[in-house]
């Protein structure tokens, strides 16, 4: 099956099965994350209390750990939920928001990656470099412009991603102007998406939660499931962008992005996916 | 006065008096709850700190307790605020989000219901069944499809609701495709609403906060006040649904729902209310 | 340079430089605050963990402290971040949400103002009066209607604002139907804005975060930088209001407000700014 058809099949699977995704995520973009998960046909549950997370993760198909507004209490809850998910073989997505911007963020994300059975890391290049131990400086929660992936640096980015995936034992999705999705053996570039996604908060957080839904529904192929999530979000960004009118700005873009997440179907996914496997050097 | 006229009068009362509603609610949908309370003409105050809640509940007309993202600290704050409200005779709405999905949620909601002077419980059927001690399984924070109320099961649902209301000593609003609002003596079915309300997060949470505003402004008839809140939200869902264009999805629906909450007036409430008292078997 | 040209220049500076703003803010309107900061061309970072805030404030151009959903943990984090910012000479904006409505809020806001090097206080008149120790009663988190600033009370409001600014050693922005922005020597009235801003949650919180971005980029003139932030938000409110269609309500207004924040340019700022320096009596 061509990769585009595979991606479309996965979107249809998520919509058909509606997996439950347990999110322990930041309070900034949590409503958007819940709505994004609902938009793609899955169901979100947000809970971060130590006493509650084991029961909830037990009924869920995936766990999304996002350190955007981490604190001592929720880091502990992430560990408890993460251990339970690891034991059960439930896919875990890690979103290392702001790794590289503070010691606590870098250490927390690294610790979760080391100690838990993480299936997918989804971050920007600066965050993933910070996790890889490379010297980098994250611009707050945004990628350092020096870390932008371009056509010229694509082979290098793919090699970095595969190496990271191999060492971390997971799939990695490095998102930016061009997205790179890789496991230890293969890497894909995704050319879908809109620059406007960087003008609103939460596009990355939403994607991580969406990755959880795709990973829950397609446990046999986490690499392509993650690719499908990235493409779903990217096409939604393009559809939203095309809809922008003269007076529209970032508020309308946010609404249109959610609209497009919710209305995208398999046929449009297949037609608009702009994905290329990156040859290894 | 016909029930529809009574509902319209209550909407106009809320808009005229602008009651203050203290919400201790989850961080997922809290902004939507605040905006929903503002949209119907009331004023929200969100605070969950033990040291702050007594002062705030003292100046409010109602208290909304929502356990969506409960934790040990906020459970204690709910208890402190709830005791103060109970002493003062201030109406309390309880939204038992996810009761049935975890032990902590079921136990917390049951404890609040037992210990405080709750005026209104607003939840889906699975949550209310969990509170009633019936064996059930909540699908995360959504109702179990097996618990759906239909025309065929309406008399049974009404009997359950009245029995629950009698034992709990409060009004209960069980919302879903058909909503049931009951006290120990009477039950109403509400046929307003749109399936799209289930495709966004927060429709239930918003309704609970809105119930607080109606209960604050109409203390003499909590049953009909709760019915008015449910109808207000249901009509808003329908108005929003009718406005959906070809490219619109769940993002636009959320915006249109808030628009409709804020623009609905008494005349439209009277004309569009679709309510029926359910005869007791 | 005429004041309108100065304001336009400042808007362009923020867009060109994209300062980072660290927000410790309430969980009700935090997503809107992040999106507002992004809309004007700056970058937000939200973190409230004691162990994280020093690293983050070190890389930021301003700190926004908003007590909307204060608790013991985040108050301590505000103090830690605030001391670090004070040492570094980083501008701090204080938003005393609900000061006057509870003892904890009044005491916390007063304590932060006394102990830290606050650059800007942004609140409604009731909140600022509470901080000034005047007897007042805040209507929850909204201003008491008796505190409304009108043309008739403008000179009195300006005198109060200048006196408050002198005693507190900062700039103060008192927002309402007419906004007053003052330091100890000068006061400006801003006539931009729309009553609809009071019908949604977060217009004030967003403005405080936006004040942070302006203060970060224009450290040499905090008074005019704050004025520019207030005018930016006010014009955005008007642009949003003018766009309201027949079926639009508060949901659409929120979207249009964010759109207008993001699309406003220097030329429109200069043309639409409606500002007057208030002569001292």
């Amino acid at each position: 099956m061509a990769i585009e058809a595979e991606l479309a099949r996965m979107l249809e699977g998520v919509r058909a099965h509606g997996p439950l995704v347990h999110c322990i995520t930041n309070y900034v973009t949590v409503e958007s994350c819940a709505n994004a998960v609902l938009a793609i046909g899955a169901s979100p549950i947000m809970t971060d209390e130590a006493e509650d997370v084991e029961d909830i993760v037990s009924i869920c198909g995936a766990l999304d750990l996002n350190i955007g507004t981490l604190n001592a209490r929720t880091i502990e809850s992430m560990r408890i939920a993460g251990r339970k998910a690891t034991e059960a073989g439930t896919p875990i997505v890690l979103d290392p928001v702001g790794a590289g911007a503070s010691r606590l963020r870098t250490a927390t994300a690294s610790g979760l990656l080391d100690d838990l059975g993480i299936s997918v890391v989804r971050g920007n290049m600066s965050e993933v470099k910070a996790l890889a131990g490379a010297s980098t400086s994250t611009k707050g929660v945004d990628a350092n412009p020096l870390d932008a992936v371009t056509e010229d640096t694509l082979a290098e980015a793919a090699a970095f991603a595969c190496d990271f995936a191999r060492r971390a034992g997971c799939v990695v999705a490095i998102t930016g102007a061009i997205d790179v999705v890789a496991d230890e053996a293969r890497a894909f570039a995704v050319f879908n998406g809109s620059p406007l996604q960087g003008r609103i908060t939460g596009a990355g957080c939403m994607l991580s939660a969406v990755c959880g839904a795709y990973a829950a529904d397609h446990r046999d192929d986490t690499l392509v499931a993650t690719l499908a999530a990235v493409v779903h979000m990217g096409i939604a960004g393009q559809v939203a962008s095309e809809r922008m009118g003269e007076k529209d700005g970032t508020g309308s873009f946010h609404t249109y992005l959610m609209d497009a997440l919710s209305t995208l179907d398999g046929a449009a996914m297949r037609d608009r996916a702009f994905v290329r496997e990156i040859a290894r050097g």
Side-chain angles (χ1 to χ4, degrees), chain A:
Chain A
M1 199 185 310
I3 188 74
E4 293 80 8
E6 182 79 354
L7 301 175
R9 188 186 63 81
M10 286 189 167
L11 176 148
E12 288 161 357
V14 170
R15 292 213 188 277
H17 306 131
L20 286 176
V21 182
H22 177 181
C23 302
I24 305 184
T25 188
N26 67 76
Y27 60 83
V28 183
T29 64
V30 59
E31 183 167 23
S32 290
C33 288
N35 276 322
V37 169
L38 283 162
I40 65 161
S43 289
I45 309 180
M46 275 66 179
T47 186
D48 63 20
E49 173 63 2
E51 204 183 326
D52 199 42
V53 294
E54 290 189 295
D55 278 3
I56 296 298
V57 85
S58 299
I59 58 171
C60 286
L63 174 64
D64 173 38
L65 301 179
N66 175 308
I67 65 166
T69 51
L70 79 184
N71 63 51
R73 183 180 69 78
T74 55
I75 292 169
E76 178 60 17
S77 298
M78 287 187 193
R79 293 192 158 279
I80 295 169
R83 281 195 292 265
K84 187 82 175 180
T86 301
E87 283 167 29
T90 302
I92 307 175
V93 179
L94 174 65
D95 188 332
V97 182
S102 75
R103 287 164 292 184
L104 179 66
R105 286 164 186 269
T106 308
T108 300
S110 296
L112 295 171
L113 185 59
D114 289 346
D115 299 344
L116 303 175
I118 303 290
S119 297
V120 181
V121 169
R122 203 295 315 163
N124 64 47
M125 181 60 91
S126 302
E127 290 161 347
V128 178
K129 279 190 177 174
L131 274 184
S135 67
T136 185
S137 67
T138 309
K139 191 197 170 196
V141 295
D142 298 319
N144 188 320
L146 298 175
D147 287 331
V149 176
T150 64
E151 279 282 357
D152 287 346
T153 62
L154 201 47
E156 184 190 342
F160 166 75
C162 288
D163 187 57
F164 178 85
R166 181 183 56 75
R167 289 196 286 153
C170 67
V171 166
V172 63
I174 302 171
T175 53
I178 301 174
D179 311 309
V180 176
V181 181
D183 64 11
E184 61 178 349
R186 304 171 74 191
F188 291 88
V190 179
F191 300 90
N192 296 108
S194 158
L196 285 169
Q197 287 166 265
R199 294 286 315 280
I200 60 168
T201 193
C205 302
M206 286 190 258
L207 175 54
S208 296
V210 165
C211 284
Y214 273 89
D217 202 49
H218 303 287
R219 294 199 182 191
D220 55 327
D221 195 345
T222 303
L223 175 64
V224 179
T226 304
L227 187 62
V230 172
V231 169
H232 190 153
M233 180 60 73
I235 296 174
Q238 290 173 281
V239 171
S241 175
E242 291 159 8
R243 201 173 156 191
M244 295 287 284
E246 194 191 344
K247 294 177 180 173
D248 289 341
T250 56
S252 291
F253 179 74
H254 191 281
T255 302
Y256 298 157
L257 181 65
M258 202 64 79
D259 282 351
L261 281 172
S262 72
T263 55
L264 192 71
D265 62 16
M269 180 89 146
R270 197 176 48 238
D271 289 349
R272 298 196 59 155
F274 186 2
V275 170
R276 190 173 77 214
E277 186 161 358
I278 308 170
R280 303 298 303 280

PDB file of all heavy atoms in Angstrom, chain A residues 3 8 11 21 26 32 53-54 81 88 113 125 132 169 193 229 242 252-253 256 261:
ATOM      1  N   ILE A   3       2.159   4.892   0.918  1.00  0.00           N
ATOM      2  CA  ILE A   3       2.146   5.462   2.266  1.00  0.00           C
ATOM      3  C   ILE A   3       0.932   6.365   2.469  1.00  0.00           C
ATOM      4  O   ILE A   3       0.322   6.382   3.550  1.00  0.00           O
ATOM      5  CB  ILE A   3       3.483   6.204   2.548  1.00  0.00           C
ATOM      6  CG1 ILE A   3       3.570   6.623   4.019  1.00  0.00           C
ATOM      7  CG2 ILE A   3       3.667   7.407   1.648  1.00  0.00           C
ATOM      8  CD1 ILE A   3       3.836   5.500   4.949  1.00  0.00           C
ATOM      9  N   ALA A   8      -4.253   7.402   5.328  1.00  0.00           N
ATOM     10  CA  ALA A   8      -5.709   7.590   5.261  1.00  0.00           C
ATOM     11  C   ALA A   8      -6.431   6.488   6.035  1.00  0.00           C
ATOM     12  O   ALA A   8      -7.398   6.744   6.762  1.00  0.00           O
ATOM     13  CB  ALA A   8      -6.160   7.604   3.796  1.00  0.00           C
ATOM     14  N   LEU A  11      -6.240   7.268   9.741  1.00  0.00           N
ATOM     15  CA  LEU A  11      -7.206   8.299  10.150  1.00  0.00           C
ATOM     16  C   LEU A  11      -8.589   7.677  10.313  1.00  0.00           C
ATOM     17  O   LEU A  11      -9.285   7.924  11.317  1.00  0.00           O
ATOM     18  CB  LEU A  11      -7.235   9.423   9.108  1.00  0.00           C
ATOM     19  CG  LEU A  11      -8.257  10.549   9.322  1.00  0.00           C
ATOM     20  CD1 LEU A  11      -7.724  11.877   8.796  1.00  0.00           C
ATOM     21  CD2 LEU A  11      -9.596  10.240   8.671  1.00  0.00           C
ATOM     22  N   VAL A  21      -7.576   8.736  25.282  1.00  0.00           N
ATOM     23  CA  VAL A  21      -6.215   9.215  25.499  1.00  0.00           C
ATOM     24  C   VAL A  21      -6.145   9.961  26.831  1.00  0.00           C
ATOM     25  O   VAL A  21      -6.853  10.946  27.038  1.00  0.00           O
ATOM     26  CB  VAL A  21      -5.763  10.168  24.366  1.00  0.00           C
ATOM     27  CG1 VAL A  21      -4.322  10.613  24.585  1.00  0.00           C
ATOM     28  CG2 VAL A  21      -5.926   9.491  23.012  1.00  0.00           C
ATOM     29  N   ASN A  26      -0.059  20.520  30.183  1.00  0.00           N
ATOM     30  CA  ASN A  26      -0.011  21.850  30.782  1.00  0.00           C
ATOM     31  C   ASN A  26      -1.383  22.513  30.785  1.00  0.00           C
ATOM     32  O   ASN A  26      -2.249  22.199  29.972  1.00  0.00           O
ATOM     33  CB  ASN A  26       1.004  22.710  30.032  1.00  0.00           C
ATOM     34  CG  ASN A  26       0.565  23.001  28.627  1.00  0.00           C
ATOM     35  OD1 ASN A  26      -0.311  23.825  28.405  1.00  0.00           O
ATOM     36  ND2 ASN A  26       1.134  22.300  27.638  1.00  0.00           N
ATOM     37  N   SER A  32      -7.513  23.164  24.282  1.00  0.00           N
ATOM     38  CA  SER A  32      -7.274  22.911  22.859  1.00  0.00           C
ATOM     39  C   SER A  32      -6.861  21.459  22.628  1.00  0.00           C
ATOM     40  O   SER A  32      -7.250  20.848  21.628  1.00  0.00           O
ATOM     41  CB  SER A  32      -6.202  23.857  22.323  1.00  0.00           C
ATOM     42  OG  SER A  32      -6.707  25.173  22.270  1.00  0.00           O
ATOM     43  N   VAL A  53      -4.497   8.684  38.725  1.00  0.00           N
ATOM     44  CA  VAL A  53      -3.959   8.408  37.385  1.00  0.00           C
ATOM     45  C   VAL A  53      -3.856   6.922  37.064  1.00  0.00           C
ATOM     46  O   VAL A  53      -4.010   6.534  35.898  1.00  0.00           O
ATOM     47  CB  VAL A  53      -2.585   9.096  37.160  1.00  0.00           C
ATOM     48  CG1 VAL A  53      -2.738  10.620  37.169  1.00  0.00           C
ATOM     49  CG2 VAL A  53      -1.534   8.639  38.148  1.00  0.00           C
ATOM     50  N   GLU A  54      -3.642   6.072  38.050  1.00  0.00           N
ATOM     51  CA  GLU A  54      -3.533   4.645  37.724  1.00  0.00           C
ATOM     52  C   GLU A  54      -4.868   4.079  37.233  1.00  0.00           C
ATOM     53  O   GLU A  54      -4.899   3.336  36.252  1.00  0.00           O
ATOM     54  CB  GLU A  54      -3.017   3.860  38.934  1.00  0.00           C
ATOM     55  CG  GLU A  54      -1.556   4.168  39.237  1.00  0.00           C
ATOM     56  CD  GLU A  54      -0.990   3.237  40.292  1.00  0.00           C
ATOM     57  OE1 GLU A  54      -1.468   3.290  41.439  1.00  0.00           O
ATOM     58  OE2 GLU A  54      -0.075   2.461  39.952  1.00  0.00           O
ATOM     59  N   ALA A  81       1.718   7.414  36.505  1.00  0.00           N
ATOM     60  CA  ALA A  81       0.930   7.032  35.329  1.00  0.00           C
ATOM     61  C   ALA A  81       1.816   6.347  34.301  1.00  0.00           C
ATOM     62  O   ALA A  81       1.414   5.352  33.674  1.00  0.00           O
ATOM     63  CB  ALA A  81       0.262   8.273  34.716  1.00  0.00           C
ATOM     64  N   ALA A  88       1.619  -1.990  31.359  1.00  0.00           N
ATOM     65  CA  ALA A  88       0.500  -2.492  30.557  1.00  0.00           C
ATOM     66  C   ALA A  88       0.799  -2.499  29.068  1.00  0.00           C
ATOM     67  O   ALA A  88      -0.022  -2.956  28.275  1.00  0.00           O
ATOM     68  CB  ALA A  88      -0.739  -1.632  30.830  1.00  0.00           C
ATOM     69  N   LEU A 113      12.118   9.956  29.891  1.00  0.00           N
ATOM     70  CA  LEU A 113      12.546   9.174  28.724  1.00  0.00           C
ATOM     71  C   LEU A 113      13.372   7.961  29.143  1.00  0.00           C
ATOM     72  O   LEU A 113      13.214   6.861  28.590  1.00  0.00           O
ATOM     73  CB  LEU A 113      13.358  10.076  27.788  1.00  0.00           C
ATOM     74  CG  LEU A 113      13.783   9.470  26.452  1.00  0.00           C
ATOM     75  CD1 LEU A 113      12.561   9.033  25.632  1.00  0.00           C
ATOM     76  CD2 LEU A 113      14.592  10.484  25.641  1.00  0.00           C
ATOM     77  N   MET A 125      13.034  20.923  17.234  1.00  0.00           N
ATOM     78  CA  MET A 125      14.417  20.464  17.118  1.00  0.00           C
ATOM     79  C   MET A 125      15.252  20.859  18.350  1.00  0.00           C
ATOM     80  O   MET A 125      16.071  20.071  18.828  1.00  0.00           O
ATOM     81  CB  MET A 125      15.045  21.022  15.845  1.00  0.00           C
ATOM     82  CG  MET A 125      16.483  20.587  15.625  1.00  0.00           C
ATOM     83  SD  MET A 125      16.696  18.764  15.485  1.00  0.00           S
ATOM     84  CE  MET A 125      16.536  18.556  13.695  1.00  0.00           C
ATOM     85  N   ALA A 132      18.831  14.999  23.585  1.00  0.00           N
ATOM     86  CA  ALA A 132      19.942  14.187  23.069  1.00  0.00           C
ATOM     87  C   ALA A 132      21.258  14.567  23.723  1.00  0.00           C
ATOM     88  O   ALA A 132      22.299  13.952  23.462  1.00  0.00           O
ATOM     89  CB  ALA A 132      20.037  14.363  21.553  1.00  0.00           C
ATOM     90  N   GLY A 169      15.102   4.405  21.874  1.00  0.00           N
ATOM     91  CA  GLY A 169      14.213   3.257  21.718  1.00  0.00           C
ATOM     92  C   GLY A 169      12.769   3.646  21.465  1.00  0.00           C
ATOM     93  O   GLY A 169      11.839   3.044  22.000  1.00  0.00           O
ATOM     94  N   GLY A 193       1.638  21.592   6.451  1.00  0.00           N
ATOM     95  CA  GLY A 193       1.696  22.544   7.563  1.00  0.00           C
ATOM     96  C   GLY A 193       1.680  23.982   7.082  1.00  0.00           C
ATOM     97  O   GLY A 193       1.819  24.249   5.883  1.00  0.00           O
ATOM     98  N   ALA A 229      -0.394  11.144  12.306  1.00  0.00           N
ATOM     99  CA  ALA A 229      -0.798  12.240  13.193  1.00  0.00           C
ATOM    100  C   ALA A 229      -0.180  13.559  12.722  1.00  0.00           C
ATOM    101  O   ALA A 229      -0.860  14.596  12.672  1.00  0.00           O
ATOM    102  CB  ALA A 229      -0.368  11.936  14.627  1.00  0.00           C
ATOM    103  N   GLU A 242      -5.682  28.338   4.187  1.00  0.00           N
ATOM    104  CA  GLU A 242      -6.344  28.690   2.918  1.00  0.00           C
ATOM    105  C   GLU A 242      -7.668  29.414   3.145  1.00  0.00           C
ATOM    106  O   GLU A 242      -8.174  30.091   2.252  1.00  0.00           O
ATOM    107  CB  GLU A 242      -6.598  27.412   2.098  1.00  0.00           C
ATOM    108  CG  GLU A 242      -5.314  26.780   1.583  1.00  0.00           C
ATOM    109  CD  GLU A 242      -5.480  25.299   1.239  1.00  0.00           C
ATOM    110  OE1 GLU A 242      -6.623  24.808   1.251  1.00  0.00           O
ATOM    111  OE2 GLU A 242      -4.456  24.647   0.977  1.00  0.00           O
ATOM    112  N   SER A 252      -9.057  33.547  14.382  1.00  0.00           N
ATOM    113  CA  SER A 252      -9.787  32.749  13.379  1.00  0.00           C
ATOM    114  C   SER A 252      -8.967  31.544  12.955  1.00  0.00           C
ATOM    115  O   SER A 252      -9.530  30.462  12.721  1.00  0.00           O
ATOM    116  CB  SER A 252     -10.110  33.613  12.158  1.00  0.00           C
ATOM    117  OG  SER A 252     -11.084  34.582  12.501  1.00  0.00           O
ATOM    118  N   PHE A 253      -7.653  31.711  12.846  1.00  0.00           N
ATOM    119  CA  PHE A 253      -6.831  30.573  12.442  1.00  0.00           C
ATOM    120  C   PHE A 253      -6.993  29.416  13.434  1.00  0.00           C
ATOM    121  O   PHE A 253      -7.099  28.251  13.037  1.00  0.00           O
ATOM    122  CB  PHE A 253      -5.354  30.961  12.323  1.00  0.00           C
ATOM    123  CG  PHE A 253      -4.491  29.803  11.923  1.00  0.00           C
ATOM    124  CD1 PHE A 253      -4.498  29.328  10.625  1.00  0.00           C
ATOM    125  CD2 PHE A 253      -3.701  29.145  12.864  1.00  0.00           C
ATOM    126  CE1 PHE A 253      -3.722  28.230  10.260  1.00  0.00           C
ATOM    127  CE2 PHE A 253      -2.927  28.051  12.508  1.00  0.00           C
ATOM    128  CZ  PHE A 253      -2.945  27.591  11.202  1.00  0.00           C
ATOM    129  N   TYR A 256     -10.285  27.769  12.701  1.00  0.00           N
ATOM    130  CA  TYR A 256     -10.253  27.032  11.426  1.00  0.00           C
ATOM    131  C   TYR A 256      -9.396  25.769  11.545  1.00  0.00           C
ATOM    132  O   TYR A 256      -9.678  24.748  10.902  1.00  0.00           O
ATOM    133  CB  TYR A 256      -9.686  27.920  10.312  1.00  0.00           C
ATOM    134  CG  TYR A 256     -10.478  29.167   9.994  1.00  0.00           C
ATOM    135  CD1 TYR A 256      -9.864  30.258   9.376  1.00  0.00           C
ATOM    136  CD2 TYR A 256     -11.836  29.271  10.286  1.00  0.00           C
ATOM    137  CE1 TYR A 256     -10.572  31.410   9.061  1.00  0.00           C
ATOM    138  CE2 TYR A 256     -12.549  30.430   9.984  1.00  0.00           C
ATOM    139  CZ  TYR A 256     -11.912  31.496   9.373  1.00  0.00           C
ATOM    140  OH  TYR A 256     -12.608  32.637   9.064  1.00  0.00           O
ATOM    141  N   LEU A 261      -9.194  19.945  11.590  1.00  0.00           N
ATOM    142  CA  LEU A 261      -8.889  18.683  12.280  1.00  0.00           C
ATOM    143  C   LEU A 261     -10.134  17.802  12.322  1.00  0.00           C
ATOM    144  O   LEU A 261     -10.054  16.583  12.162  1.00  0.00           O
ATOM    145  CB  LEU A 261      -8.425  18.942  13.724  1.00  0.00           C
ATOM    146  CG  LEU A 261      -6.989  19.395  13.922  1.00  0.00           C
ATOM    147  CD1 LEU A 261      -6.768  19.782  15.384  1.00  0.00           C
ATOM    148  CD2 LEU A 261      -5.998  18.300  13.518  1.00  0.00           C
TER     149      LEU A 261
END
